[in-house]
Amino acid sequence: MSVEENACDDTDVLVVGAGPVGMALALDLVRRGVRVRLVERGAGTFPGSRAKGIQPRTLEVFDDFGIVDAARAAGGPYPPMGLHVGPASVKWVMQKPVAPDPGTPYPDILLLPQYATTGILRGAVEEAGVAIEFGAEVTGVTQDAASVTAELADGTCVRARYVVGTDGASSIVRKSAGLAFTGSTDEADRMLVVDGRVEGLSRDRWHVFPRLGGRMVAACPLPGGENFQVMIKIRPDDPVDLSEPALAELFRRLAGRGTRLTDVTWASVFRPNVRLASGYRQGRVLVAGDAAHVHTPAGAQGLNTGVQDAYNLGWKLGQTLAGAPDELLDSYEGERRPIAAAVLGRSSELYAGAKKARPGALRRGADERQLSLTYAGGPLARSSDRVARTGTLEVGDRAPDAALAQERLFDLLRGPHFTLLAFGERAGTGLEKVAWPSRGAALHRHRLTERTTSGGTAERAVLATYGITSDTLVLVRPDGYIGHIVTYGESSSGSLSPGPSEVLGSEALGSEACDLTELHRAVALMTPPL
């Protein structure tokens, strides 16, 4: 019987691929009341440590999902690098620790093997009521004006209002949608990546052994057990044998006679693959993560960029399904594809330095932490909107955390809703005048100065972090980025209204009375009609 003769199961969103990106997207969608199916062609989740760095911005996403404590408990700090040249060993710090500040509760990268990240996300997804369908291979995707039909290898099909491919670099979803995947793969540049125990090396550093002739071996201790992630750079003409005896012998020859690789649990061949999809959307079909962009491993950017794809897309799908303009879904590509293009360039630069084992080229900084990424100037924060800003933030920027008297600002933002923050008395009056649709994501309204001790350090900290110098409304999107800013000017008496002015005593940013028209216009791009 053909697929056309079979009745397809219906759902709102079909997510194809149950890696970290697919699970993050499913988790975000289900908390919005969206019907989700999550299918995975493999028999289980990915077993290797491959993408082992969780950047600060991704930790903030995990905070919103309620899994950051589990991630931090399972992970640990990155160890210093140890470069072994003959009998000498040079130790250096790849990324200097950064102290938390009021706006950044998770300032450092977390060392967390991919299998641990996957396990934590899987537990959250299943607890939310989504059963991952393993062994369900999608073989093709077709669409019409109202729906998408995905054909499965077992002859069944799924009809969804939208399909999202999070099925990796060889994505069948991307191919079915006709999206090109431009870039290159260096077949001659190969590295073996292995999880196993290593005898003869301390666990206090990431050991690197450069060798002549285009070979190299490195071993990074993984948290949560005795395993190391071992990386062995091989020459173009070297044979590949992933059996444990062959790997153990190669490791011994390159790392030294006092070392021994045992108990291999996973091994793979890596080739630098740098590609970017020509588009992230074709009608009702979208792609995210490695299906949209693949990077070198340097800088720990791939998984993090993919999870943030999901975080950007989840609320937009939820809002579109609730009746928001279709242009909102177009903004997914408009915001995320430029980010991926920039990350591709940066990770390639870092990888080139790593191949030469230059300590300076291996150091990581603010760019890799992904906290400064902004959507300012993008489709939801065009240049004409950039006059709406505070002393430190503009529309499209990440909304930072801040310490309040009894809680943190992230406690108010956590969840699938929009958040409207009012600083000062006049902004508090405007807070109640903002109209909001009954469908889609809710709006949580907060008078910030009422949640702090007037004139105290908590109030000063939040005002300084947000650059507030006059009464201000700040709309925060569900993904933690600024959706709009309304700044109230000076009063007729020339003094600022009570609230922020009492603490900072600063000049007003503008001289015009507040008008909520621009805020409602911004809201109309992101919500169903009133």
Side-chain angles (χ1 to χ4, degrees):
M1 183 178 291
S2 68
V3 169
E4 288 75 19
E5 294 171 321
N6 276 323
C8 290
D9 294 330
D10 288 333
T11 193
D12 290 329
V13 179
L14 173 66
V15 180
V16 181
V21 178
M23 287 192 282
L25 179 59
L27 185 59
D28 198 25
L29 288 171
V30 74
R31 66 179 183 161
R32 302 177 189 285
V34 175
R35 295 182 303 153
V36 183
R37 285 186 66 177
L38 178 55
V39 298
E40 165 59 46
R41 66 181 179 183
T45 54
F46 182 74
S49 65
R50 185 169 55 196
K52 62 185 182 299
I54 305 299
Q55 297 291 350
R57 180 56 189 159
T58 305
L59 289 173
E60 293 181 354
V61 176
F62 287 179
D63 183 311
D64 187 28
F65 288 164
I67 60 174
V68 70
D69 289 342
R72 297 177 78 191
Y78 261 64
M81 303 290 285
L83 182 63
H84 300 273
V85 181
S89 178
V90 179
K91 182 178 178 181
W92 80 94
V93 176
M94 183 173 64
Q95 182 166 317
K96 293 181 179 180
V98 179
D101 61 45
T104 311
Y106 315 111
D108 286 321
I109 186 172
L110 181 73
L111 180 63
L112 186 67
Q114 185 171 332
Y115 55 74
T117 302
T118 301
I120 292 167
L121 281 166
R122 178 178 179 178
V125 166
E126 292 177 341
E127 185 177 353
V130 178
I132 303 173
E133 300 173 47
F134 292 108
E137 180 180 2
V138 172
T139 58
V141 174
T142 57
Q143 62 176 305
D144 55 34
S147 65
V148 190
T149 300
E151 303 174 17
L152 274 64
D154 65 0
T156 63
C157 63
V158 179
R159 182 175 291 113
R161 294 179 67 183
Y162 294 96
V163 169
V164 183
T166 59
D167 48 340
S170 60
S171 171
I172 187 64
V173 175
R174 185 192 65 244
K175 294 174 182 176
S176 296
L179 297 171
F181 205 37
T182 57
S184 63
T185 302
D186 189 347
E187 297 291 347
D189 187 358
R190 298 178 300 164
M191 182 176 291
L192 310 181
V193 186
V194 184
D195 291 347
R197 298 187 65 176
V198 174
E199 298 175 7
L201 292 180
S202 65
R203 295 185 60 81
D204 65 345
R205 66 190 64 189
W206 185 338
H207 302 269
V208 180
F209 301 84
R211 292 292 181 259
L212 296 176
R215 285 174 169 165
M216 180 274 292
V217 64
C220 178
L222 298 173
E226 297 299 318
N227 269 10
F228 283 72
Q229 184 190 76
V230 174
M231 291 145 283
I232 305 174
K233 177 72 169 61
I234 60 176
R235 295 177 301 207
D237 56 347
D238 283 342
V240 174
D241 186 342
L242 297 181
S243 68
E244 182 168 321
L247 292 170
E249 173 58 22
L250 181 58
F251 180 80
R252 185 194 65 80
R253 284 194 284 117
L254 295 177
R257 294 185 178 276
T259 62
R260 185 169 175 240
L261 173 64
T262 65
D263 301 326
V264 172
T265 57
W266 170 76
S268 180
V269 181
F270 165 79
R271 296 172 179 82
N273 199 5
V274 180
R275 295 180 183 274
L276 181 63
S278 58
Y280 282 20
R281 180 188 184 193
Q282 181 61 46
R284 293 180 173 271
V285 178
L286 303 103
V287 291
D290 284 356
H293 47 80
V294 288
H295 315 251
T296 75
Q301 300 295 286
L303 180 149
N304 293 276
T305 302
V307 167
Q308 289 170 59
D309 288 345
Y311 198 48
N312 183 284
L313 178 58
W315 73 272
K316 293 175 180 179
L317 275 171
Q319 290 293 88
T320 304
L321 286 164
D326 187 67
E327 290 78 9
L328 177 62
L329 210 49
D330 285 335
S331 75
Y332 164 61
E333 177 181 326
E335 290 189 333
R336 292 303 303 168
R337 192 171 182 275
I339 297 292
V343 168
L344 283 171
R346 178 58 179 158
S347 65
S348 297
E349 177 186 339
L350 291 170
Y351 184 71
K355 286 170 61 176
K356 297 177 181 179
R358 297 197 311 264
L362 294 171
R363 289 198 175 96
R364 309 294 184 256
D367 288 345
E368 289 72 54
R369 297 162 69 217
Q370 300 195 353
L371 293 169
S372 59
L373 297 179
T374 180
Y375 301 134
L380 298 182
R382 299 190 185 279
S383 56
S384 59
D385 300 326
R386 300 179 80 169
V387 295
R389 61 170 302 140
T390 71
T392 59
L393 298 171
E394 63 180 306
V395 178
D397 287 349
R398 161 188 168 268
D401 195 12
L404 308 179
Q406 303 296 327
E407 59 202 334
R408 301 195 64 83
L409 187 54
F410 275 6
D411 295 330
L412 308 185
L413 303 184
R414 189 177 300 113
H417 54 268
F418 287 80
T419 307
L420 188 59
L421 307 174
F423 299 88
E425 189 173 285
R426 280 185 292 170
T429 301
L431 181 75
E432 304 307 323
K433 294 181 180 179
V434 174
W436 200 260
S438 58
R439 292 178 293 158
L443 177 67
H444 290 195
R445 307 169 196 247
H446 299 286
R447 295 174 184 253
L448 255 293
T449 49
E450 292 183 357
R451 308 187 76 91
T452 65
T453 303
S454 180
T457 56
E459 185 170 76
R460 290 180 182 275
V462 68
L463 295 177
T465 299
Y466 272 70
I468 303 298
T469 56
S470 68
D471 289 25
T472 303
L473 285 171
V474 177
L475 178 68
V476 182
R477 303 174 356 178
D479 60 350
Y481 284 83
I482 305 296
H484 199 71
I485 297 171
V486 177
T487 304
Y488 290 69
E490 292 180 292
S491 67
S492 58
S493 64
S495 62
L496 295 174
S497 61
S501 55
E502 291 183 339
V503 180
L504 296 181
S506 303
E507 295 290 332
L509 289 178
S511 60
E512 300 296 326
C514 174
D515 185 354
L516 297 179
T517 301
E518 289 301 318
L519 175 58
H520 283 123
R521 184 177 289 117
V523 166
L525 297 174
M526 299 183 282
T527 63
L530 289 170

